């Protein structure tokens, strides 16, 4: 097992690398504690969307830029895994203020401290700007699984609402197959029209488009997956639906900026904007001096045959 590496220079981003016999995970703490790459070694398979131009640079760090708080998310790399908190869409909330595009986490440098001396674990935190919340993510890898362990602490004397979503921009392949708990009704987050194609199957989704959707009802099972038949790989996500009850999705087949991508996004709010989620009374809340914790597992495995059923 290779040790966790720390490489930095005056002009390059600091890198944290975690590795097991089955995974290599690359993390950039200075740009939102971003998980930039997950390589599943048995298949030499990159699970995440990478920045445009990745094939042409000698040092991929050149493709990432440090953002300023409040920056427009679409002006940056549009790749990898970030956290959206306390909103996804920019919005204004009475008595709380303005919240920036895709929230606070992605545009901040997080404070990192290592916890696990086996070098397969790293923890980092930051504090939100408009809401007095401490937000922490602990990344730990075992075998072919990555565990994202979250903690939100309310450092004020009032209850605080927040919307969190895992913004996991994953690899797109034209034959990929998506799975989530069924039966499910999908809501088109970009318009009133119902989808006239099957979002489970990328070979049925129109090219040169971009599609945002939500499952309309809270989940009874916290699980979703992306299967890549040609590569023989499945990426599965697991979480506790009692804490994180909703699931959104994003598919970019070339109609939006950035690389083509698939995202299945567990979230505690419905949907996209903190203001809308509060109005819908479907939003996370943490009491004064209280904390909430939850875990999302990302599991990569080889599959010789597949079905749409969650395992």
């Amino acid at each position: 097992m290779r040790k966790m590496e720390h490489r930095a220079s005056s002009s390059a981003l600091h890198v944290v690398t975690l590795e097991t016999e089955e995974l290599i995970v690359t993390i950039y703490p200075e740009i939102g504690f971003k998980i930039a790459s997950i390589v599943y070694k048995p298949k030499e398979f990159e699970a995440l969307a990478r920045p445009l131009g990745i094939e042409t640079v000698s040092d991929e760090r050149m493709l990432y830029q440090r953002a300023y708080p409040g920056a427009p998310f679409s002006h940056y790399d549009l790749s990898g895994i970030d956290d959206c908190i306390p909103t996804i869409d920019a919005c204004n909330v009475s008595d709380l203020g303005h919240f920036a595009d895709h929230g606070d986490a992605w545009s901040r440098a997080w404070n990192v401290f290592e916890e696990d001396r086996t070098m397969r674990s790293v923890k980092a935190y930051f504090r939100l700007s408009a809401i007095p919340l401490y937000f922490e993510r602990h990344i730990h890898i075992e075998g072919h699984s990555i565990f994202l362990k979250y903690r939100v602490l309310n450092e004020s004397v009032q209850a605080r609402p927040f919307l969190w979503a895992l913004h996991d921009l994953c690899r797109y392949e034209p034959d990929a197959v998506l799975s989530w708990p069924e039966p499910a009704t999908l809501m088109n987050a970009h318009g009133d029209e119902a989808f006239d194609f099957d979002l489970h199957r990328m070979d049925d989704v129109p090219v040169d488009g971009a599609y945002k959707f939500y499952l309309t009802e809270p989940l009874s099972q916290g699980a979703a997956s992306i299967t890549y038949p040609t590569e023989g790989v499945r990426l599965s996500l697991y979480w506790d639906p009692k804490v994180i009850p909703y699931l959104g999705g994003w598919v970019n087949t070339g109609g939006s900026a950035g690389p083509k991508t698939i995202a299945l996004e567990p979230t505690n709010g419905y949907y996209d904007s903190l203001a809308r989620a509060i109005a819908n009374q479907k939003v996370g809340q943490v009491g004064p001096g209280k904390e909430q914790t939850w875990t999302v597992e990302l599991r990569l495995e080889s599959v010789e045959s597949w079905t749409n059923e969650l395992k």
Side-chain angles (χ1 to χ4, degrees), residues 24 49 136 140-141 167 195 204 208 229 231 240 265 281 297:
I24 303 174
E136 178 182 287
H140 176 62
I141 66 175
H167 198 255
F195 296 111
D204 197 49
D208 298 326
E231 290 76 15
D240 183 353
E265 303 177 332
Q281 298 183 353
E297 178 189 358

Side-chain angles (χ1 to χ4, degrees), residues 46-308:
E46 171 59 64
L48 301 185
R50 308 305 311 280
L52 294 175
I54 192 75
E55 303 87 356
T56 62
V57 296
S58 57
D59 184 346
E60 67 180 52
R61 291 174 292 180
M62 298 169 57
L63 299 174
Y64 298 93
Q65 299 294 324
R66 297 173 177 87
Y68 58 89
F73 185 80
S74 62
H75 290 187
Y76 291 82
D77 57 275
L78 301 174
S79 66
I81 296 178
D82 298 290
D83 293 298
C84 291
I85 185 173
T87 190
I88 301 175
D89 289 348
C91 63
N92 292 293
V93 178
S94 299
D95 301 324
L96 291 177
H98 177 74
F99 298 95
D101 181 26
H102 282 69
D104 289 352
W106 71 274
S107 62
R108 307 300 174 87
W110 290 36
N111 299 291
V112 176
F113 55 99
E114 298 174 21
E115 182 181 72
D116 189 339
R117 292 294 119 183
T118 66
M119 302 303 179
R120 291 178 292 116
S121 175
V122 62
K123 184 184 291 186
Y125 72 91
F126 84 105
R127 286 179 167 86
L128 279 68
S129 57
I131 304 177
L133 297 179
Y134 167 98
F135 185 68
E136 178 182 287
R137 190 212 299 155
H138 179 192
I139 304 172
H140 176 62
I141 66 175
E142 293 181 8
H144 56 105
S145 288
I146 304 161
F147 296 91
L148 308 179
K149 302 177 182 180
Y150 291 94
R151 177 176 176 238
V152 169
L153 172 65
N154 182 354
E155 298 183 311
S156 75
V157 297
Q158 298 178 357
R160 301 292 180 176
F162 71 98
L163 185 153
W164 169 84
L166 184 68
H167 198 255
D168 51 332
L169 300 180
C170 299
R171 176 172 176 158
Y172 168 85
E173 291 291 340
D175 64 342
V177 178
L178 312 188
S179 181
W180 45 73
E182 302 287 358
T185 301
L186 300 189
M187 183 273 292
N188 183 350
H190 284 171
D192 297 329
E193 311 84 18
F195 296 111
D196 58 359
F197 49 86
D198 186 358
L199 267 161
H200 291 93
R201 305 184 61 92
M202 293 303 97
D203 58 11
D204 197 49
V205 177
V207 297
D208 298 326
Y211 311 96
K212 182 69 182 284
F213 62 93
Y214 278 85
L215 277 64
T216 58
E217 300 300 324
L219 302 170
S220 59
Q221 180 184 7
S225 69
I226 308 171
T227 301
Y228 300 91
T230 298
E231 290 76 15
V233 177
R234 177 181 292 127
L235 170 62
S236 301
L237 294 85
Y238 301 98
W239 66 95
D240 183 353
K242 294 179 181 178
V243 183
I244 307 299
Y246 303 103
L247 179 66
W250 165 250
V251 175
N252 177 17
T253 62
S256 187
K260 295 181 179 181
T261 188
I262 300 167
L264 294 175
E265 303 177 332
T267 176
N268 71 341
Y270 184 84
Y271 63 96
D272 271 10
S273 137
L274 177 60
R276 182 185 293 119
I278 291 172
N280 290 339
Q281 298 183 353
K282 296 180 177 180
V283 68
Q285 183 165 281
V286 58
K290 303 295 185 180
E291 67 176 46
Q292 286 187 12
T293 61
W294 66 93
T295 299
V296 179
E297 178 189 358
L298 289 77
R299 183 187 304 168
L300 281 154
E301 55 195 331
S302 300
V303 290
E304 300 306 322
S305 61
W306 57 272
T307 71
N308 288 344

Side-chain angles (χ1 to χ4, degrees), residues 1-5 7 17-21 23-26 41 118-120 141:
M1 180 189 305
R2 191 169 69 191
K3 292 185 177 181
M4 180 155 55
E5 300 173 359
R7 303 186 299 274
T17 303
L18 306 178
E19 185 168 355
T20 67
E21 292 183 357
L23 295 175
I24 303 174
V25 180
T26 303
K41 294 162 69 174
T118 66
M119 302 303 179
R120 291 178 292 116
I141 66 175

